[in-house]
Amino acid sequence: MRKKIVAGNWKMNLDYNEGLSVFSEVINMINDEVTGTQEAVVCSPFIHIHSLVQLAKGQNRISLGAQNAHQAESGAYTGEISAKMIKSVGAAYVILGHSERRQYFGENNELLAKKTDTVLANDLKPIFCIGETLQEREANTHFDIIKSQLVEGVFHLDTTQFSKLVIAYEPVWAIGTGVTASSDQAQEIHAFIRKEIAAKYNQTVADNTTILYGGSCNPKNAAELFAQPDIDGGLIGGASLKSRDFTDIVKAFN
Ligand code: PEP
């Protein structure tokens, strides 16, 4: 069956020492308190990853991820980080297509399809983010938007490649706003995503795909969201910066 995952996205927060300290607390709390088979993933800024991987050695419930990667294998791209570099420090995941990358850095589905290929070619697992804006939901185009993000971003992959993906549904109107999608709203979209995956690949691939919910998820609402049949975990922004809150969200699967 598909894996349950709670991934934290630290974004551009926590300096090096703060990051080490929060992560050490997370390791201790998860060791002491998590009883299920769920996986916790921390997607830190690039500069933390190597040290966090060292701290997490021997912890089979905790993995590290990056928040972005360049589409090229290497080259003259000043200031960028490649998937190969991310792999070389021991990360397992890379978030791709986060709405902040789409909005502030002009990342579109075409570019994200290339990034997905490069990340997979380097044996890393993409956490591929999709989701509609408030205007798109109000215009009732959210299903079309989600479908086009899937079709243009990841449906060029073959079955083996697709099986390595984690999908994150993040309604843009719920990210960092304190407004969470209701569990029914989230479940409706997750079921739609799984149906589209089954139509493109097959039911087994769809049943095995982990689909995370992201958007103002917190220790109070996590259990209700994660209880939905097609919600397999969360992508957590603000609440992942606090070890207690993040661990409590991970524990929603205990
Ligand atoms: C995110 O940025 O992926 C996110 C879900 O943020 P928040 O939890 O802060 O809404």
Side-chain angles (χ1 to χ4, degrees):
M1 264 321 270
R2 53 187 180 259
K3 208 183 230 185
K4 309 283 185 196
I5 296 174
V6 178
N9 173 12
W10 284 0
K11 310 192 183 186
M12 198 173 72
N13 293 299
L14 303 178
D15 69 20
Y16 181 73
N17 288 320
E18 289 165 344
L20 259 55
S21 146
V22 168
F23 190 69
S24 302
E25 291 167 10
V26 166
I27 292 178
N28 289 337
M29 289 178 186
I30 285 186
N31 272 334
D32 290 348
E33 303 169 30
V34 171
T35 55
T37 56
Q38 65 271 45
E39 181 180 8
V41 180
V42 170
C43 299
S44 70
F46 293 124
I47 61 152
H48 299 70
I49 299 175
H50 180 257
S51 300
L52 302 191
V53 167
Q54 304 310 312
L55 287 176
K57 279 233 160 85
Q59 311 286 334
N60 55 8
R61 284 203 178 91
I62 308 176
S63 305
L64 275 301
Q67 301 168 20
N68 180 34
H70 196 270
Q71 64 275 21
E73 282 295 339
S74 64
Y77 300 102
T78 301
E80 290 294 320
I81 300 278
S82 73
K84 187 176 179 197
M85 293 169 188
I86 295 166
K87 178 72 183 177
S88 73
V89 290
Y93 292 89
V94 180
I95 297 174
L96 290 177
H98 190 281
S99 66
E100 288 151 17
R101 300 287 321 168
R102 293 177 188 262
Q103 184 182 350
Y104 305 133
F105 301 96
E107 297 197 0
N108 58 23
N109 295 332
E110 193 190 349
L111 174 70
L112 293 168
K114 291 186 190 140
K115 289 193 173 203
T116 302
D117 292 343
T118 308
V119 163
L120 285 169
N122 284 279
D123 201 20
L124 290 159
K125 288 174 266 192
I127 300 176
F128 193 86
C129 303
I130 56 180
E132 81 285 359
T133 62
L134 187 58
Q135 292 92 312
E136 288 160 348
R137 181 164 274 265
E138 284 173 349
N140 212 25
T141 56
H142 44 303
F143 290 103
D144 296 338
I145 293 294
I146 301 287
K147 184 165 180 180
S148 64
Q149 289 170 337
L150 286 170
V151 169
E152 295 167 27
V154 292
F155 276 1
H156 63 288
L157 299 172
D158 67 25
T159 305
T160 310
Q161 290 171 320
F162 188 88
S163 303
K164 295 179 180 141
L165 287 193
V166 172
I167 302 288
Y169 168 58
E170 299 207 299
V172 180
W173 46 272
I175 295 179
T177 58
V179 180
T180 317
S182 70
S183 51
D184 287 347
Q185 279 174 321
Q187 166 59 25
E188 181 184 38
I189 300 285
H190 282 234
F192 172 75
I193 293 168
R194 205 176 301 286
K195 182 170 75 62
E196 291 300 320
I197 297 169
K200 167 69 188 171
Y201 297 95
N202 57 55
Q203 194 60 49
T204 307
V205 171
D207 288 341
N208 287 332
T209 302
T210 297
I211 308 177
L212 310 180
Y213 167 78
S216 299
C217 194
N218 61 47
K220 289 203 173 78
N221 59 30
E224 189 188 337
L225 286 159
F226 297 174
Q228 297 301 310
D230 288 293
I231 301 183
D232 309 311
L235 181 52
I236 318 300
S240 72
L241 298 170
K242 295 193 182 125
S243 51
R244 181 72 271 157
D245 286 359
F246 182 63
T247 308
D248 283 348
I249 297 171
V250 176
K251 281 168 63 185
F253 279 121
N254 274 1

